[in-house]
Amino acid sequence: MADDLSDTLKKLKITAVDRTEDSLEGCLDCLLQALAQNNTETSEKIQGSGILQLFASLLTPQSSCTAKVANIIAEVAKNEFMRIPCVDAGLISPLVQLLNSKDQEVLLQTGRALGNICYDSQSSKEQFASTNIAEELVKLFKKQIEHDKREMIFEVLAPLAENDAIKLQLVEAGLVECLLEIVQQKVDSDKEDDIAELKTGSDLMVLLLLGDESMQKLFEGGKGSVFQRVLSWIPSNNHQLQLAGALAIANFARNDGNCIHMVDNGIVEKLMDLLDRHVEDGNVTVQHAALSALRNLAIPVINKAKMLSAGVTEAVLKFLKSEMPPVQFKLLGTLRMLIDAQAEAAEQLGKNVKLVERLVEWCEAKDHAGVMGESNRLLSALIRHSKSKDVIKTIVQSGGIKHLVTMATSEHVIMQNEALVALALIAALELGTAEKDLESAKLVQILHRLLADERSAPEIKYNSMVLICAVMGSESLHKEVQDLAFLDVVSKLRHHENKSVAQQACLTEQRLTVES
């Protein structure tokens, strides 16, 4: 087999130059057979033989062997190690030209070859970025009217458009205008092909907005025609366009400047109207996308109060009954962003028993780590931003304390810290109300463990000591602190390299000594 393959590769080098079609076809058949039997080994031999460079000259529209050559390229490009050599061998340009072919087999194999070369390989995509493939593909796309050919080009464009440099090249080559035209042409059609093309076109449009440069170029300070057209998709009656419109807004909302401009220009109201249309038996993907956009828009501090007064919390709370984890996750994230440093809103939400009870329920959603984490973070945020006794009482009554104590043991430092700060506020403001729950959640033992653990971050040690001092106002918790010999652990931290930790250790040690 190995000898036959070596002979075939030698013969192919000669026949490729002589262009004797019959002998060439026989050699190509042998290669395809060898690839079917052992793709990796055969691909290595092909790479070693230098034959890839000859394939570029064989990829001509008039040759009867073109489909087989493209098929061989598609097969070898299944191996990641062959993708860059295919680009280096100059195969991209002739393959792109073949997408003009009328021959269905040539089209099929060419699409496979281009798709496999750029599949899941950031190195090869960067190589593509140095070719003129973006421009070639867009030129070609503009010429096509047949659905199958457009679909084939879409299949090549989608993986390529994952690369940021190529995103920008595609935008500059005018792909966005083509996609907007397709959307306009197909939006009212109920033909299967048209519906598929509308979906592919609008999805690709959203993908182009994932690149920072391409997104900013299309935003054009909020005055861009593309941005305006995308906005018009949101009130559309077509679910696919509503989805693409909301996702596009979420992508435009990736920096403060854009977010501020969009909130000042009424985007929030459009998104709330869209959500309103999907409250009862709504489309989950549209709900998720609209909530994602609202969450991103709520990040700049200046937008929070504007969005709160526009009624965003009320619009979002309508989805509390949702049983879909992706919607739950975005709902929680949006509320958490909105109440950041907004004491009044945090207090209002924190006293909402239905919300707090739902949060406590989701804190136990072990199958959905994202929902569980966000529920814990929102519980903590309600306390931290409101600093309200009523909020703490609501959370205690709803059974939320144990979750905040568990959150203090999270593997994420940011979550541990948020939990400890919230617990310190509980201990300072409503220790009597929370005392039993803190005790049954084994808070004191957990704090001892966090202080004794050398891996605990400085801020975790600091806030754990602050909390120890705060819980000593409770007789039962004070007794637990005494029983666990905290003095030993705390005194070791007086010489901690972090000054704040060392100072807090001295203060905590004094407190423990005085009250022992």
Side-chain angles (χ1 to χ4, degrees):
M1 176 71 201
D3 291 344
D4 290 352
L5 182 56
S6 300
D7 289 346
T8 300
L9 290 167
K10 280 177 195 163
K11 195 174 173 188
L12 189 56
K13 277 188 176 175
I14 299 161
T15 50
V17 177
D18 295 349
R19 293 298 177 99
T20 41
E21 298 266 320
D22 290 347
S23 313
L24 193 56
E25 205 142 343
C27 290
L28 296 172
D29 285 337
C30 284
L31 271 191
L32 283 167
Q33 211 175 340
L35 284 163
Q37 284 174 9
N38 190 332
N39 191 313
T40 309
E41 196 181 314
T42 306
S43 296
E44 284 169 350
K45 289 258 169 68
I46 289 172
Q47 188 187 0
S49 70
I51 205 85
L52 276 180
Q53 281 73 7
L54 290 175
F55 283 166
S57 63
L58 297 176
L59 290 167
T60 55
Q62 53 275 26
S63 165
S64 62
C65 297
T66 301
K68 281 182 181 168
V69 176
N71 189 356
I72 289 169
I73 296 167
E75 286 301 313
V76 301
K78 284 179 178 176
N79 303 289
E80 194 172 345
F81 67 87
M82 289 298 288
R83 290 171 192 156
I84 289 175
C86 284
V87 178
D88 291 343
L91 300 179
I92 303 305
S93 191
L95 282 168
V96 169
Q97 298 309 321
L98 286 175
L99 291 171
N100 279 307
S101 173
K102 303 261 187 295
D103 184 314
Q104 288 304 307
E105 183 62 15
V106 169
L107 261 184
L108 170 70
Q109 300 303 346
T110 302
R112 282 184 65 231
L114 283 167
N116 288 354
I117 292 171
C118 64
Y119 176 75
D120 200 24
S121 170
Q122 207 49 47
S123 37
S124 66
K125 281 178 195 148
E126 280 163 12
Q127 298 267 347
F128 271 96
S130 62
T131 70
N132 64 342
I133 186 167
E135 202 179 329
E136 293 285 354
L137 283 169
V138 175
K139 255 190 233 163
L140 192 60
F141 190 79
K142 285 175 179 172
K143 288 185 206 163
Q144 300 307 330
I145 44 172
E146 291 169 45
H147 170 76
D148 289 350
K149 286 195 177 178
R150 272 181 168 178
E151 204 58 37
M152 182 67 74
I153 300 169
F154 270 141
E155 281 173 23
V156 179
L157 282 171
L160 280 177
E162 287 169 9
N163 175 280
D164 282 0
I166 299 177
K167 279 186 184 80
L168 190 59
Q169 289 172 6
L170 290 169
V171 167
E172 286 171 343
L175 179 61
V176 172
E177 288 71 17
C178 299
L179 297 176
L180 289 172
E181 205 174 306
I182 285 173
V183 167
Q184 204 167 348
Q185 287 167 3
K186 313 292 180 187
V187 67
D188 297 319
S189 171
D190 51 9
K191 285 187 195 160
E192 211 172 302
D193 280 359
D194 289 348
I195 293 167
E197 211 164 310
L198 175 77
K199 176 173 171 27
T200 313
S202 54
D203 283 350
L204 187 51
M205 177 82 200
V206 171
L207 182 59
L208 291 174
L209 292 174
L210 279 171
D212 287 338
E213 280 187 84
S214 51
M215 176 272 286
Q216 213 52 44
K217 189 176 179 68
L218 294 171
F219 188 68
E220 288 183 75
K223 305 281 189 290
S225 60
V226 172
F227 173 65
Q228 297 301 329
R229 287 276 286 280
V230 166
L231 273 191
S232 72
W233 294 355
I234 293 175
S236 147
N237 289 320
N238 182 299
H239 281 185
Q240 175 58 33
L241 277 197
Q242 292 172 359
L243 171 64
L247 286 173
I249 297 303
N251 285 342
F252 280 124
R254 287 210 315 279
N255 64 52
D256 283 7
N258 292 5
C259 288
I260 292 163
H261 177 89
M262 287 193 276
V263 169
D264 287 346
N265 284 274
I267 305 292
V268 169
E269 288 71 16
K270 283 185 168 65
L271 289 167
M272 290 190 339
D273 289 345
L274 176 60
L275 276 175
D276 243 12
R277 294 162 71 183
H278 287 275
V279 175
E280 298 301 326
D281 305 318
N283 182 301
V284 173
T285 52
V286 174
Q287 293 171 358
H288 180 260
L291 288 167
S292 294
L294 286 171
R295 181 200 173 281
N296 288 2
L297 290 169
I299 292 172
V301 176
I302 197 170
N303 282 356
K304 296 180 197 294
K306 293 174 186 173
M307 290 175 72
L308 287 165
S309 60
V312 173
T313 46
E314 293 77 5
V316 169
L317 285 171
K318 289 176 186 172
F319 294 90
L320 254 191
K321 58 190 173 187
S322 172
E323 294 302 330
M324 305 306 291
V327 174
Q328 296 167 353
F329 181 72
K330 288 295 175 187
L331 173 153
L332 293 163
T334 306
L335 291 176
R336 188 165 62 78
M337 283 301 158
L338 280 169
I339 63 163
D340 190 8
Q342 308 296 310
E344 199 181 316
E347 179 159 16
Q348 202 180 343
L349 277 180
K351 292 192 291 192
N352 179 329
V353 177
K354 272 189 183 165
L355 168 65
V356 174
E357 284 177 348
R358 196 70 160 131
L359 292 184
V360 170
E361 183 190 328
W362 287 341
C363 281
E364 291 168 9
K366 292 192 168 55
D367 294 343
H368 303 287
V371 172
M372 194 164 79
E374 276 294 342
S375 302
N376 278 299
R377 293 190 78 186
L378 183 53
L379 263 189
S380 159
L382 291 170
I383 295 168
R384 288 182 296 110
H385 297 304
S386 71
K387 299 180 176 60
S388 153
K389 291 185 168 205
D390 288 338
V391 170
I392 293 169
K393 283 175 187 165
T394 307
I395 289 172
V396 172
Q397 282 153 15
S398 304
I401 297 296
K402 63 180 178 188
H403 297 299
L404 290 171
V405 175
T406 305
M407 184 183 169
T409 65
S410 164
E411 59 190 15
H412 304 291
V413 173
I414 192 164
M415 286 177 68
Q416 281 186 290
N417 219 27
E418 287 171 359
L420 291 168
V421 172
L423 288 164
L425 283 165
I426 291 168
L429 298 170
E430 274 297 322
L431 186 54
T433 311
E435 183 180 46
K436 282 200 177 90
D437 288 355
L438 292 171
E439 207 177 326
S440 61
K442 307 239 179 316
L443 172 67
V444 173
Q445 289 88 325
I446 284 168
L447 292 176
H448 189 276
R449 207 164 64 231
L450 290 174
L451 287 172
D453 189 344
E454 287 177 9
R455 293 166 301 175
S456 293
E459 59 268 41
I460 302 305
K461 291 189 186 293
Y462 177 87
N463 283 321
S464 295
M465 288 187 284
V466 169
L467 187 46
I468 281 298
C469 294
V471 299
M472 279 163 63
S474 149
E475 201 176 316
S476 57
L477 293 170
H478 187 177
K479 186 177 183 314
E480 285 190 11
V481 171
Q482 285 178 317
D483 291 348
L484 271 175
F486 266 83
L487 261 174
D488 299 348
V489 189
V490 171
S491 60
K492 285 178 189 165
L493 295 174
R494 284 186 313 163
H495 308 294
H496 196 277
E497 59 188 0
N498 182 294
K499 277 186 184 164
S500 301
V501 172
Q503 282 171 348
Q504 186 58 42
C506 291
L507 291 171
T508 308
E509 187 181 39
Q510 285 168 14
R511 182 82 190 270
L512 287 166
T513 310
V514 168
E515 303 204 11
S516 61

